[in-house]
Amino acid sequence: MGTRIAVVGATGNVGRELLNILDERLFPADEVFAVASRRSIGKEVSYGDRTLKCHDLEQFDFSRVDVVLMSAGGKVSKEWSPKIAKAGAIVIDNSSQWRMDPDVPLVVPEVNADAVMGYNKKGIIANPNCSTAQLVVALKPIHDAVGIRRVVVATYQSVSGAGKEAMDELWNQTRGIFVNDEPAPQVFQKEIAFNLIPQIDVFMEDGYTKEEWKMRMETKKIVDESIELVATCVRVPVFVGHSEAVHIETIGHMSADECRALLRESPGLMVVDDPKEDLYITPKECVGEWATYISRIRHDPTTPNGLAFWCVSDNLRKGAALNAVQIAEELLNRGIIKPEKVDA
């Protein structure tokens, strides 16, 4: 016996990764439905060794499923998530639409799994921003141990976070440079090939971008409202994998060695950290992995209780698809969705 799941936005980067991870983690699903916009009707996507044909979002009967993994953007989620929840399915949404709604839990299972119990207010659970998800997995054990007062983070975010068109733009610009036929930017504000862009999402009145605001507010909601955070988010010419340079000021003292030992034993993390052997993780090395990798843990000498580290994760996995599937697993483990419901 298993559950019934629909993946909305199944033809996109994250949608395809959702299907991959459901299969890899042997999620107990009797039926998995690929759902997309009308223009994708009949288009085929892979689910393990099976091929699924896409259903039309506007025609699909969501009363047939227990859980919907929504990865179709904020506009679609705003319209469809309440409708789907009303039909009886629980929506796990990857967009930013519901994250700061006080009636919608924002969940990273390694950090605040109990929050899934708030699903019943609107029938929706939100997935955090990709850069937030990997960060809070690392912050949580430190905060529980000694408390965190302040976080300063600079991100190095891959183009896949902006979708398939962004990945195509990096590829086309890179190729164009070598053949002297460089295409103009279409997805990004500036050229991304061999370049860095210190803007992700729109600028706000205070000079920060919406992405930087998301990291601050989502960390507060997921971990602790008292944590202060400032971010600088940068798009880099990497296809997959987000990296972060993290500086934290703790309330109690923790040495670098104590931090290293703590994070090694913490869920969802892998510590690869030996400067003498040049051991650290790059974004290329984390692609396809489930863990969030921590390297270069060291004392920050500018403050008595300061720590710094390097944090890398596959943004299409932990930053989006994996986290959503882990939330679905949490619903299953807690009996909120029940396999016996599927008996035909």
Side-chain angles (χ1 to χ4, degrees):
M1 299 299 293
T3 56
R4 291 176 176 176
I5 292 183
V7 175
V8 175
T11 59
N13 283 344
V14 175
R16 292 176 185 272
E17 197 65 23
L18 282 164
L19 291 167
N20 289 338
I21 292 174
L22 285 169
D23 177 66
E24 286 178 24
R25 291 176 72 90
L26 303 177
F27 191 90
D30 275 353
E31 291 188 82
V32 176
F33 300 93
V35 181
S37 63
R38 182 164 296 173
R39 65 178 179 271
S40 295
I41 294 176
K43 190 172 183 178
E44 295 184 341
V45 292
S46 296
Y47 170 58
D49 58 1
R50 285 166 279 179
T51 298
L52 307 178
K53 288 191 175 182
C54 287
H55 297 262
D56 178 12
L57 170 63
E58 296 187 9
Q59 301 298 321
F60 188 76
D61 178 7
F62 286 100
S63 68
R64 301 167 63 187
V65 298
D66 304 290
V67 177
V68 172
L69 304 179
M70 172 74 72
S71 185
K75 185 177 179 181
V76 173
S77 182
K78 182 178 181 179
E79 177 184 356
W80 282 94
S81 291
K83 295 178 182 177
I84 294 168
K86 190 174 181 180
I90 298 174
V91 179
I92 301 172
D93 180 49
N94 268 302
S95 79
S96 61
Q97 176 61 41
W98 304 100
R99 292 175 188 159
M100 299 315 299
D101 188 316
D103 292 329
V104 173
L106 181 62
V107 177
V108 176
E110 297 95 333
V111 178
N112 64 336
D114 288 345
V116 299
M117 300 307 292
Y119 79 95
N120 55 4
K121 293 180 180 178
K122 286 191 173 179
I124 302 169
I125 299 173
N127 227 21
N129 184 45
C130 48
S131 51
T132 303
Q134 68 187 71
L135 176 65
V136 297
V137 173
L139 294 183
K140 174 65 172 175
I142 300 171
H143 186 60
D144 285 349
V146 293
I148 294 175
R149 178 175 285 115
R150 181 170 180 259
V151 180
V152 180
V153 57
T155 72
Y156 308 77
Q157 294 177 228
S158 65
V159 295
S160 57
K164 182 181 181 303
E165 294 80 8
M167 298 176 76
D168 291 343
E169 180 152 299
L170 173 58
W171 169 253
N172 291 332
Q173 285 182 359
T174 302
R175 182 181 57 188
I177 287 171
F178 286 103
V179 298
N180 200 29
D181 183 25
E182 189 177 346
Q186 300 293 327
V187 177
F188 296 115
Q189 301 85 354
K190 307 271 188 176
E191 179 182 293
I192 185 60
F194 300 97
N195 199 18
L196 305 176
I197 303 175
Q199 177 189 355
I200 299 178
D201 212 324
V202 297
F203 281 105
M204 303 173 71
E205 289 185 2
D206 60 3
Y208 287 91
T209 63
K210 189 73 175 292
E211 185 84 354
E212 293 158 354
W213 176 86
K214 290 174 196 172
M215 289 196 73
R216 172 180 168 83
M217 301 311 295
E218 291 174 17
T219 298
K220 285 176 168 288
K221 184 172 180 179
I222 295 167
V223 184
D224 193 325
E225 285 286 343
S226 69
I227 294 176
E228 293 299 337
L229 182 146
V230 62
T232 300
C233 294
V234 182
R235 190 72 72 187
V236 298
V238 170
F239 284 107
V240 178
H242 285 0
S243 305
E244 297 172 349
V246 185
H247 293 255
I248 64 176
E249 180 185 357
T250 59
I251 297 171
H253 181 73
M254 174 179 284
S255 70
D257 285 342
E258 289 169 335
C259 181
R260 195 174 292 111
L262 174 67
L263 297 186
R264 278 202 175 105
E265 300 301 319
S266 300
L269 297 175
M270 287 285 291
V271 174
V272 178
D273 186 16
D274 188 349
K276 293 178 182 177
E277 300 294 333
D278 294 334
L279 282 178
Y280 49 81
I281 294 294
T282 64
K284 184 176 181 179
E285 294 166 299
C286 79
V287 174
E289 300 293 331
W290 291 349
T292 293
Y293 288 87
I294 307 297
S295 304
R296 301 204 59 208
I297 301 169
R298 59 207 188 276
H299 170 63
D300 178 350
T302 66
T303 178
N305 291 337
L307 291 166
F309 57 85
W310 177 248
C311 176
V312 182
S313 188
D314 182 331
N315 55 293
L316 296 180
R317 293 207 147 206
K318 186 55 188 171
L322 173 60
N323 198 73
V325 173
Q326 287 176 304
I327 293 171
E329 290 171 345
E330 194 67 33
L331 294 173
L332 188 66
N333 293 338
R334 290 171 181 258
I336 296 169
I337 54 175
K338 298 180 174 62
E340 60 266 28
K341 176 181 175 182
V342 182
D343 196 2

